[in-house]
Each structure stands twice: as C-alpha cells, then as structure tokens.
Amino acid sequence: MHFAVNAHLLSPAGGYRQAGISVYIDQLLRCLLPSAPNDRWTVYAPPGAGRVLDPPPNTCLRESRLPTSKPLARIVWEQCLAPLLALHDRFDAFFCPLNVVPLAMRRPSVVTVHDLAFLRFPERFRPARRRYLAVLARLSVRRAAHVLTVSEFTRREVVDLLGVPSEKVTATPNGRDERLGPLPADAVARFRETQSLPERFLLFLGTLEPRKNLPALLRAYAGVADVVGMPLVVAGGKGWMYEPIFELVGELGLRERVRFAGFVPREDLAAWYNAATALVYPSLYEGFGLPPLEALQCGTPVITSNTSSLPEVVGDAALTVDPTSVAALGDALVRIATDAALREELRSRGPAQAARFSWERTAAGTLQALRTVARS
C-alpha cells in the first residue's frame, strides 16, 4: 500500500513550535515508517525537514517550497495543494497528524485530534485561530474515515463535543522518548554548573500560553516561597497571550525568585528534569501532557493537575491537585519541598508508570487505522 503523511507541523527550527505536535510527528514517524517496510510512504514536510527526519528507503520525503511553518502558507497547502497531490501521487490513505484534513481530499483520511481546548477554553485563543480550529475540526472529523486521539480523555471529548460515533474514534496514546532517563550524578552536577542552577529548584517546563495556568502557579508559589526555600524556574518557548505572566512576576515581587530559562532544546530535556527537585505542571487542560511523562521517565517527582488527561498519564506516580485552587497548589509545593520520603517514593514510581507508554504502540494503532480505511 501507499500511504501519505502531512508532516508540515514538524519544526526543524528551535522555539515553541518544536514542542508538542512537532514531537508527536517526529517520534511517531521514527517508529511508523520502519514498521511497514513493505508499504510505500510519502511524507510532505516543511522546508528543512530533512535535518530532522532520516527516512528509511521505503519513504519519499517531499519538502515544500512554501514556507509552511507560517500558518497561512500551511493552510493553503492543506486545503488547496494536498488534494491535487493526491490526484498525482495516488496514495491509498492520507494521515493528518493534527485536527484538520483537506476538505476536498478524495482519498480516505485518518486524522489525529490532540485536544479540544479551543472549544473548552475559547477565551484563551486568539479569535481568528479559535474560529478556524472550531470550524475545520468539526468538518474534518466528519470527512475523515477514522479519528485517532492521543488519550482516552480526548477520545471521550471528540465523541461528546463533536458528536463523532464512538466506533469511529480510537485512542492511540503518545509514547515516551527512549532518549530520556536518569542521568549520572556527576553529569547533573556539571549541567547545574553550566546553567548556574542551584542544588534545589522547582521546574515548570512547557509552552507559555494561557491554559498552562502559570498565573495560578506564580500566585501559589508567592504564598509559600519562604517555606519552599528554593527558586522556581520557568522553562519553555513563548507561545501566545504570555505577556501577563511576566507582568505578574513583577506584581508579586518574585523577580529575584523566578527565573525564565526560555525554550529548552530536546537534547537538554533530560538534564533539566534530572537537575530539578520536582516538575510542577498545573495545566488546566491537556490532550495528553508530555512534560509530566518525560519527568516521570527521568525519575523526577511531579506535581500536576487532577483534570483532563493528566491523571491518565501519571497514574499514582505523581501528586495531583485541583489546578484552579491556588491554596491546594501551594500546599502541594510545600509537601514536595519538605517531605524527602514523598519525593523518594515518587522517584521510584515514575519510571514504571512512564514505561506503560511507547511510540511503537502508537505507531501500531496508527498503521492499523490507515490500513483499515485504505482497504475499505
């Protein structure tokens, strides 16, 4: 069979676009393409994708001449060029890794829906982006022959909010990055020295955007900073509507206690997780939530939310709290900072919980869906 993939959200450049969906595409394709060596694959990708992907012999990587890292150019490619390429390349099924399928596509499509935050929290998205996602996602899940989701939580969201028949939706959870894990103590010490990090610090790692709930974390931390006795490091690229985060740090008098580390390259992730005393990830809504899984894999204690998909990801290997309660979040910060036995227990549980997730299983579910729709 011949399958095609829209990989235009794979980001060859650093920055917040190299997180989330770019990681999903990168990790999934690394497993998916070699897992079907007797099939042909065409991967449509942005300029420079060859620096990220090393496709196997059964794969044709076709980099676009359009600057598809820019949303408008990507939309033009998806809705205008992709249906024409389908007529020319005559593939059997088309895989769309993020929420949207070309509406004029005449080949059967499989689409992955990562979350429906634009429906649950519309006020946290810029109006044009919110309207585009809301309209195109609804049309896409109707047009697609099958829908995949990155968690059981998102599968229920797609059925409930978009009215998709449950038999048309399959959960294929994200996997763990095999390159992450515990590091030797001397390597962690060298990393702390190069980054001018203290022996103990709390870490938030994720794109700076409204649903990550950083204002609540900052308010909680401000109330217990003296008891916690360690700084808070906020790491991650700037996404959208992030300005209030920086303003709030000043208003709370936290400029000497909160450090913004910026975007973290993937090759440095393990060092950041290993160096931190704990990861704090109080997101309001996640379709999956890779940072908590990555921290668990490294044996780093995790505080995260008891909402959306996050309990599904961390199981009993993390502290979960109500992300809307500043008091509850503050109590969790104090517990993780002062209770060494709790930290050790969470360290021991983390890797086993992370081991439940693999990109091989994600790839197997994706390939099964593509083959099913191609045959039908």
Side-chain angles (χ1 to χ4, degrees), residues 358-371:
S358 79
W359 288 111
E360 287 79 10
R361 282 195 289 271
T362 313
T366 305
L367 183 59
Q368 180 179 350
L370 285 167
R371 285 179 170 161

Side-chain angles (χ1 to χ4, degrees), residues 209-292:
E209 56 164 299
R211 66 171 159 149
K212 302 303 181 183
N213 203 29
L214 272 165
L217 172 57
L218 293 170
R219 291 188 174 94
Y221 175 73
V224 299
D226 290 336
V227 180
V228 167
M230 64 182 100
L232 170 65
V233 177
V234 177
K238 295 176 181 177
W240 56 93
M241 299 170 70
Y242 55 81
E243 295 85 355
I245 297 168
F246 294 91
E247 295 169 3
L248 185 59
V249 169
E251 292 172 12
L252 295 173
L254 294 176
R255 294 194 188 280
E256 300 301 316
R257 291 182 166 181
V258 175
R259 169 181 165 183
F260 289 92
F263 174 75
V264 174
R266 194 129 196 99
E267 58 268 23
D268 291 342
L269 279 179
W272 276 101
Y273 289 129
N274 276 266
T277 302
L279 175 79
V280 189
Y281 196 78
S283 180
L284 293 169
Y285 182 96
E286 292 290 330
F288 184 82
L290 280 172

Side-chain angles (χ1 to χ4, degrees), residues 8 14 52 68-70 75 91 97 110 125 130 138 164 188 192 205 258 272 274 280 284 307 348 357 362:
H8 281 284
V52 179
T68 52
S69 60
K70 298 178 180 179
I75 291 169
F91 44 76
V110 173
F125 288 78
R130 180 184 69 238
R138 290 183 186 277
V164 182
V188 177
R192 286 199 186 100
L205 197 154
V258 175
W272 276 101
N274 276 266
V280 189
L284 293 169
T307 59
S348 67
F357 299 89
T362 313

Side-chain angles (χ1 to χ4, degrees), residues 9-24 69-71 74 125-126 129 205-212 235-242 262-266:
L9 278 163
L10 179 71
S11 177
Y16 85 94
R17 293 188 185 279
Q18 207 173 47
I21 180 59
S22 182
V23 173
Y24 171 80
S69 60
K70 298 178 180 179
R74 187 177 67 252
F125 288 78
R126 293 192 176 104
R129 185 166 185 260
L205 197 154
T207 301
L208 307 190
E209 56 164 299
R211 66 171 159 149
K212 302 303 181 183
K238 295 176 181 177
W240 56 93
M241 299 170 70
Y242 55 81
F263 174 75
V264 174
R266 194 129 196 99

Side-chain angles (χ1 to χ4, degrees), residues 303-319:
I303 299 172
T304 193
S305 305
N306 61 4
T307 59
S308 66
S309 67
L310 291 165
E312 186 180 335
V313 173
V314 302
D316 65 354
L319 279 183

